[in-house]
Amino acid sequence: MSGEIIKVSRNTEQAPINALSSQSVAFSHYNNLSAQLPLDPQSGEIVVGDVRDQAKQCLNNIKAIVESVGHVMDDVVKINVFVKSMNDLAAVNEVYNAYFDTQLPTRTVVEVAALPHGDALIQMDALISNGEGTKPQAPCDLIKLSRNSDSAPVSQWSTQTVAFSHYNNIGAQLPICPTTGKIVDGGIKAQTAQCLRNIKTIMESIDVPFDDIVKANIYLTDLADLEAVNQVYTTFFPDSSIARTVGYMPARSVIKANGLPMGALVQIDTAISHGDGTPHQEIEDRHGIVIRTNNTVDAPICPLSTQTVAFSHYNHLTAQLPVKTHGGALVEGGVTEQAKQCLNNIKAIVESISHNMDDIVKINIQLTDMADLAVIDTIYAGFFSGELPARTVIGVSDIPLGAAVQIDAVVSNGEGTPPTH
């Protein structure tokens, strides 16, 4: 394992156990949870009932995992909600807020084409704060900072930005005008610009520059819109003169959504570097901790993203398509060859920064055919020699380049980025 800080992977029998993932993987001051289906942990079957019952079971499973590692639900920083039908969101919201006593986490909601269990209507994963750190870090009583700005859309179901330690997570921003509360007029370009303006406004409200974004997730209802999205995207990145000098682009994932809240065409969420930390950490100049970027010629290079962006004790990878390193073409063969290529690309990136696959704490897999998951699982575990990462799998109706699979990852970064203490 790279670095001295220890990755801690844990399972509890109070939540469903999956042989191909760890329920929770803690590293330093964050803990990554695998996606939870509405499965009863004793029977292993989908709970009987409607989407409200299924949403409760997902949240009960998350709560059981959170409590099994000595935490509470108010330690949750971010939740991703994947629904089979956006029409179910109102029913999900009826039960959602009851699981949090005070500060709501950030949230991203996406309608997906399929989930790993055919009878599931919903699936959720989560990221939680981990103030005690992982060995040999000493426990510290860090404060979670949840903040909203009136200059960006405010939701009763989530907080705009939740910072903990040296990271800050911004919930999915829809193309909503904060004044009217409605989707902006215009097509995909207008909507993309509004999403990014909302993110920028939130960041400015907490005195964080736009180029502190280390990872962006773009959800589109039509991948044919991606070229137009990219035209707008490159007017926002790089933002500062320093970033323009080095051509900085965050890591990025583009994910096909079957539907988005309010009928939007696009939504974007982000992970932000937070160099000043949260109390009681020593306040530093946010540029005192360096964002470290890296591309390797041993994996596909994209001008619109950086393969891997490290900050503090985490490293965020751009989603990998099953593309050959040179030439940019899809690998020949079926889903087996495509999954191997995605994982080999990830492995090449991870090894280029002197890490190994067992340093991965979270894997996200998108498939165009959920029936292919069994095939992927036969090769997946072979890329890891230790405890498996947390994992989220969703079905999508399309993937860029017409691929059958796309995979992204979050990697532990025990050595940190300068100046480390």
Side-chain angles (χ1 to χ4, degrees):
M1 193 68 62
S2 301
E4 296 179 355
I5 302 173
I6 297 171
K7 184 178 81 171
V8 180
S9 304
R10 289 172 286 196
N11 288 318
T12 173
E13 293 182 353
Q14 301 306 308
I17 294 175
N18 187 322
L20 290 164
S21 64
S22 297
Q23 288 171 351
S24 77
V25 180
F27 187 83
S28 189
H29 289 136
Y30 278 93
N31 202 328
N32 300 264
L33 271 60
S34 285
Q36 295 301 302
L37 288 161
L39 297 173
D40 179 278
Q42 277 68 51
S43 69
E45 300 295 329
I46 295 287
V47 295
V48 176
D50 61 10
V51 71
R52 294 174 184 81
D53 300 295
Q54 291 201 14
K56 287 179 183 178
Q57 189 63 53
C58 291
L59 288 160
N60 283 338
N61 290 342
I62 289 172
K63 185 178 181 183
I65 295 167
V66 168
E67 292 178 348
S68 75
V69 295
H71 282 260
V72 297
M73 287 294 281
D74 283 337
D75 290 335
V76 175
V77 168
K78 181 180 181 182
I79 283 197
N80 293 310
V81 180
F82 304 101
V83 293
K84 289 288 293 298
S85 173
M86 197 56 67
N87 292 331
D88 286 339
L89 183 56
V92 172
N93 286 340
E94 288 177 15
V95 302
Y96 181 83
N97 281 14
Y99 283 80
F100 306 97
D101 290 332
T102 53
Q103 301 164 330
L104 289 167
T106 66
R107 191 172 80 159
T108 295
V109 178
V110 182
E111 179 184 311
V112 295
L115 291 169
H117 194 296
D119 293 328
L121 302 174
I122 186 170
Q123 173 180 259
M124 301 184 198
D125 68 13
L127 177 70
I128 71 171
S129 59
N130 191 51
E132 65 272 24
T134 53
K135 293 181 180 179
Q137 292 175 317
C140 48
D141 189 20
L142 300 180
I143 295 171
K144 185 177 80 170
L145 295 180
S146 302
R147 291 170 284 192
N148 285 322
S149 166
D150 290 336
S151 299
V154 177
S155 169
Q156 62 179 310
W157 313 111
S158 64
T159 304
Q160 289 171 353
T161 172
V162 179
F164 188 81
S165 188
H166 288 130
Y167 270 91
N168 203 328
N169 294 270
I170 292 181
Q173 291 303 300
L174 290 160
I176 296 172
C177 171
T179 303
T180 65
K182 298 179 180 179
I183 298 290
V184 294
D185 293 330
I188 186 63
K189 288 187 177 181
Q191 291 199 19
T192 303
Q194 189 63 50
C195 291
L196 291 166
R197 277 196 295 269
N198 288 343
I199 291 170
K200 192 169 187 178
T201 297
I202 293 166
M203 293 178 67
E204 289 174 346
S205 75
I206 57 174
D207 194 27
V208 176
F210 201 64
D211 286 314
D212 280 1
I213 295 174
V214 297
K215 175 72 189 294
N217 296 309
I218 301 174
Y219 299 90
L220 286 173
T221 57
D222 187 349
L223 289 187
D225 287 336
L226 183 55
E227 182 178 352
V229 169
N230 287 338
Q231 291 173 13
V232 177
Y233 191 81
T234 52
T235 67
F236 282 80
F237 298 101
D239 184 59
S240 67
S241 58
I242 294 174
R244 286 192 291 271
T245 299
V246 298
Y248 173 67
M249 301 293 281
R252 190 173 86 155
S253 295
V254 176
I255 301 156
K256 170 69 169 70
N258 264 32
L260 293 170
M262 299 180 68
L265 303 176
V266 59
Q267 75 174 0
I268 304 173
D269 68 20
T270 53
I272 314 288
S273 63
H274 190 241
D276 37 348
T278 54
H280 305 283
Q281 289 173 321
E282 181 181 354
I283 296 176
E284 303 167 355
D285 174 15
R286 64 176 51 89
H287 294 294
I289 300 180
V290 176
I291 293 176
R292 177 169 283 170
T293 63
N294 188 74
N295 284 322
T296 173
V297 295
D298 294 324
I301 294 175
C302 174
L304 294 168
S305 63
T306 304
Q307 287 171 353
T308 173
V309 180
F311 183 80
S312 188
H313 290 131
Y314 275 90
N315 210 322
H316 296 259
L317 270 61
T318 288
Q320 294 301 301
L321 290 162
V323 173
K324 297 176 182 178
T325 303
H326 305 290
L330 288 178
V331 66
E332 296 175 358
V335 69
T336 298
E337 290 75 19
Q338 289 199 21
K340 285 181 180 178
Q341 187 67 50
C342 290
L343 289 163
N344 280 328
N345 289 345
I346 289 172
K347 185 177 181 183
I349 295 167
V350 167
E351 291 179 349
S352 75
I353 53 174
S354 301
H355 281 259
N356 59 65
M357 291 292 280
D358 286 329
D359 288 338
I360 293 176
V361 296
K362 179 72 190 295
I363 287 270
N364 299 300
I365 301 175
Q366 295 95 46
L367 296 171
T368 56
D369 186 348
M370 195 56 70
D372 287 338
L373 183 57
V375 176
I376 290 174
D377 284 345
T378 61
I379 65 168
Y380 177 82
F383 278 82
F384 305 94
S385 58
E387 294 171 317
L388 291 168
R391 190 173 84 159
T392 294
V393 179
I394 59 171
V396 295
S397 58
D398 197 8
I399 290 176
L401 300 180
V405 59
Q406 175 176 252
I407 305 175
D408 70 17
V410 181
V411 184
S412 60
N413 191 50
E415 65 274 24
T417 52
T420 53
H421 301 287

